[in-house]
Amino acid sequence: MTGKVYLRTILPVGLLYSLSLISGNKAYQYLSVSFIQMLKATTPVAVLLAGWCLAVEKPNLRTLRNISFIVTGVIIASYGEILFNATGFAYQVFGNIFEAFRLVLVQRLLSSAEHKMDPLVSLYYFAPVCATLNFSLFLIFESRHLLVADLMRVGSTVFVLNALVAFALNVSSVFLIGRTSSLVLTLCGVLKDILLVCVSILLLGVPISGLQLVGYSIALVALLYYKLGIDKPGGEYTQIYGGSLRSPTPRKMAVGAGFFLVFLALGGIYGSYRPAGNSKTIHGSMPVQLAQNGHLAYRGGRKFDIVVSMYQENQTKIAEELREIKNLPPLQGLEPNIIIYVKDQDVDAEALKEAVGADVVKIIPNKGREGGTYLAHILDEWDNLATHTLFLQGDIHMFPQLSTRITDYFFPGTGVLSLGFGYSSCSCDNCQDDWGGDDVWYRVPEVYSAVTGELCPASKILMSYGGQFITSSNRIRSTEKHVYEHIKQLLESDMEHWIHEDSKTGKFNDKVDNPYFGHTLERSWMILFQCFDPGLSATCPKLDSRRGPNDTDDTCQCVDKI
């Protein structure tokens, strides 16, 4: 191993490996798992072209024609991707290119007459190059964001197991390339792609569209035909084991088995396919009202906002929880925008912004509890609301359970999803719930009348508790703006206002910064967003329960039928 050989053969492999890992991992911050796997399905195309560029393979137009179907399927899937993000797409494309050239260079390193290097020896040489570059870039870009709490949260067991799996993957990959070729290695990933697409949909609840189903079908069928229907894999089989795949019966059986796997996978995808709307019964009359009011045409400039109402809460804890929320699978690709409203007039806004990783920090008067904060955001951003907004208190209630509720239920068709302790219902003539003791919430029926323009119905109405929820811009704007303005005026009124004279038990105080009417509002958010059906209190379990196998999208939320 001379310096010249090292610089010409080993160093490029290590550098490409590092860039491939970095680009591939960055893509997961922006795109869904299933979409990434479909983009990775184009790697055989990139490997083939890289092999031609580096003269490792001879150009073959028949092969190029066959794999063009794969590209067609991926283009269709890309066009139909619900969570498409240009930045993530670019990262994954460059990752594929880096990986393709790396695999071809490894093949040349292991198979050419000039080198003929042992697979483990090659790994011994180029792995340190990759590790060095990764660590250097980590120090520059990521080290200042990494906290000990992040490492502790993952745990040493996960790190060790991850390293062992990665090492086993490296060893098996170089051995396979040494025995066959880089092209065969990428083609062996077909089954992995099928399984990962299905698992990401079944376990992570990643939404897909009908157009994506078409793209997935074309790409997966084309990949299997490419694997089983051209000469290259058959030639490699003959080279290793002797014999031939030209016998028609085994060949037809292999092709048939491959197509069976595809349709089995697509059956699993279709069984869990969730369109933007919901085909089952929708709680409340929201779809009709949205269509009548014309709010379905509204689209905010941002996809997802996280609004936090703070006073003097633990900033480190808030920062950690917000990072975890942003990394939840359903929020990948949405680029959540964090907006902090703080009621501590002495706070350093810039320091708070840096400490919690916020995009915007606003100091507002200390009035009206968290409800005043939420109303301030709704009114200030009325014409610039994000497609979905997550409203949180500074001290998040039941954070682990809140995270799993988002993971279980949030999808593009979410209208309003409560992340409080649970749902309840009350009669208009005696509006009590499980959380307020003996208090009767006289104003909740009045909120219903203000929103709907009708008297409170004889049936029960829905209530929620906890002051944390996700709602769509369509839901917010379905209620007239002046209703929010009037409620905010009542909520932030001085102590001489009649709203403070409501009868209450000794359980609740009544101050400008903590008005009793604020507890009424906390129970009325679903009504404000026109989610009325008390059936939710029966179908949706408490926050500490996970989504069951038979639960539908509207088990715990009102859905926008878009």
Side-chain angles (χ1 to χ4, degrees):
M1 178 59 66
T2 64
K4 181 179 179 181
V5 173
Y6 186 87
L7 292 175
R8 189 162 56 91
T9 60
I10 301 297
L11 187 62
V13 172
L15 294 177
L16 288 170
Y17 196 10
S18 175
L19 294 173
S20 171
L21 286 172
I22 293 170
S23 299
N25 285 343
K26 288 291 289 184
Y28 281 96
Q29 295 183 322
Y30 300 94
L31 302 176
S32 65
V33 174
S34 58
F35 188 41
I36 287 174
Q37 291 312 124
M38 290 313 304
L39 291 178
K40 285 183 178 180
T42 62
T43 303
V45 181
V47 169
L48 188 65
L49 296 177
W52 294 355
C53 292
L54 298 177
V56 175
E57 302 280 351
K58 293 182 179 180
N60 186 324
L61 294 181
R62 178 187 173 191
T63 303
L64 183 61
R65 183 179 65 251
N66 288 335
I67 62 178
S68 65
F69 287 102
I70 303 172
V71 178
T72 301
V74 173
I75 290 174
I76 294 174
S78 301
Y79 182 79
E81 168 61 19
I82 295 173
L83 303 180
F84 180 83
N85 179 276
T87 303
F89 181 83
Y91 273 121
Q92 190 56 55
V93 168
F94 279 107
N96 288 359
I97 294 172
F98 296 140
E99 179 70 2
F101 277 94
R102 179 187 77 87
L103 293 174
V104 172
L105 289 177
V106 170
Q107 177 183 341
R108 189 169 67 178
L109 192 65
L110 301 179
S111 305
S112 68
E114 180 184 358
H115 304 292
K116 205 68 177 178
M117 187 176 288
D118 180 84
L120 282 178
V121 173
S122 69
L123 190 61
Y124 166 78
Y125 278 116
F126 68 70
V129 178
C130 175
T132 301
L133 181 58
N134 280 357
F135 187 69
S136 300
L137 293 176
F138 159 75
L139 291 178
I140 297 172
F141 295 106
E142 294 185 343
S143 59
R144 65 181 181 275
H145 302 299
L146 184 67
L147 302 176
V148 175
D150 297 324
L151 302 177
M152 297 297 293
R153 184 168 56 252
V154 175
S156 58
T157 302
V158 174
F159 277 121
V160 172
L161 290 176
N162 203 330
L164 290 175
V165 171
F167 177 73
L169 174 63
N170 283 330
V171 173
S172 61
S173 297
V174 294
F175 267 100
L176 180 61
I177 294 173
R179 294 291 299 274
T180 58
S181 71
S182 56
L183 181 61
V184 171
L185 172 66
T186 58
L187 292 173
C188 286
V190 173
L191 181 59
K192 176 201 68 176
D193 293 333
I194 295 173
L195 293 176
L196 278 175
V197 169
C198 293
V199 169
S200 69
I201 294 169
L202 292 173
L203 297 186
L204 302 182
V206 175
I208 61 172
S209 65
L211 189 59
Q212 280 181 280
L213 285 176
V214 174
Y216 288 169
S217 303
I218 293 174
L220 290 175
V221 170
L223 273 171
L224 282 171
Y225 178 76
Y226 185 27
K227 179 177 175 62
L228 301 171
I230 62 175
D231 296 335
K232 181 66 180 177
E236 298 292 348
Y237 180 92
T238 302
Q239 175 187 343
I240 299 170
Y241 299 107
S244 173
L245 284 178
R246 294 183 180 178
S247 175
T249 301
R251 188 180 182 84
K252 289 179 180 178
M253 290 177 63
V255 174
F259 276 91
F260 175 76
L261 278 176
V262 171
F263 288 114
L264 183 65
L266 292 179
I269 292 174
Y270 183 76
S272 60
Y273 167 53
R274 299 191 301 175
N278 195 312
S279 59
K280 296 188 178 294
T281 303
I282 307 294
H283 287 291
S285 55
M286 190 61 186
V288 175
Q289 291 171 347
L290 279 175
Q292 290 174 347
N293 294 340
H295 294 299
L296 284 179
Y298 175 79
R299 288 291 183 274
R302 302 177 302 279
K303 295 179 181 178
F304 199 95
D305 279 349
I306 301 176
V307 172
V308 185
S309 176
M310 289 187 65
Y311 182 58
Q312 294 178 341
E313 292 82 5
N314 186 313
Q315 297 180 10
T316 302
K317 179 172 178 288
I318 285 288
E320 293 176 358
E321 291 172 340
L322 289 176
R323 274 200 302 273
E324 287 193 34
I325 290 173
K326 291 179 69 173
N327 289 325
L328 292 176
L331 304 191
Q332 298 306 295
L334 299 184
E335 301 179 355
N337 186 60
I338 298 177
I339 305 173
I340 303 292
Y341 290 86
V342 60
K343 295 187 176 183
D344 181 1
Q345 305 301 303
D346 298 325
V347 74
D348 184 333
E350 287 301 317
L352 176 61
K353 179 180 177 181
E354 179 70 21
V356 303
D359 296 282
V360 178
V361 172
K362 298 182 179 181
I363 300 176
I364 60 175
N366 186 16
K367 296 181 178 181
R369 306 181 75 240
E370 79 281 345
T373 302
Y374 300 168
L375 291 171
H377 178 79
I378 289 171
L379 293 171
D380 289 347
E381 301 292 325
W382 185 259
D383 293 317
N384 190 38
L385 290 165
T387 304
H388 285 93
T389 303
L390 167 59
F391 291 93
L392 294 171
Q393 299 180 30
D395 185 13
I396 301 176
H397 298 307
M398 300 176 68
F399 175 75
Q401 292 79 9
L402 173 142
S403 298
T404 55
R405 182 57 58 91
I406 294 174
T407 301
D408 286 346
Y409 283 101
F410 177 72
F411 77 117
T414 291
V416 53
L417 171 64
S418 174
L419 303 171
F421 298 138
Y423 292 106
S424 183
S425 61
C426 76
S427 301
C428 292
D429 59 342
N430 185 31
C431 193
Q432 290 183 287
D433 57 38
D434 301 330
W435 313 296
D438 296 328
D439 282 271
V440 178
W441 303 101
Y442 303 102
R443 304 294 179 185
V444 171
E446 293 182 6
V447 172
Y448 178 94
S449 297
V451 169
T452 64
E454 301 174 355
L455 294 176
C456 192
S459 60
K460 292 186 176 182
I461 56 176
L462 182 67
M463 300 174 68
S464 61
Y465 180 67
Q468 46 195 29
F469 45 84
I470 296 177
T471 185
S472 68
S473 56
N474 292 324
R475 287 275 166 174
I476 294 174
R477 290 170 61 93
S478 65
T479 295
E480 298 296 334
K481 186 178 181 181
H482 71 83
V483 174
Y484 295 107
E485 292 172 334
H486 180 61
I487 291 178
K488 187 173 185 292
Q489 183 182 14
L490 293 176
L491 191 67
E492 298 181 349
S493 59
D494 56 38
M495 293 303 298
E496 285 71 35
H497 195 279
W498 54 262
I499 195 67
H500 296 282
E501 298 176 1
D502 285 352
S503 61
K504 61 187 77 65
T505 64
K507 180 178 179 179
F508 295 101
N509 296 318
D510 195 339
K511 300 184 295 183
V512 172
D513 62 342
N514 185 23
Y516 178 68
F517 183 62
H519 298 281
T520 296
L521 180 60
E522 186 175 8
R523 289 158 171 79
S524 305
W525 285 111
M526 299 302 106
I527 297 172
L528 271 172
F529 302 139
Q530 303 208 25
C531 182
F532 312 117
D533 193 339
L536 277 176
S537 62
T539 63
C540 185
K542 302 299 183 183
L543 190 64
D544 56 359
S545 299
R546 294 300 301 266
R547 177 170 178 162
N550 297 321
D551 291 339
T552 59
D553 290 334
D554 62 346
T555 296
C556 277
Q557 63 182 325
C558 286
V559 178
D560 287 351
K561 198 171 184 179
I562 300 176

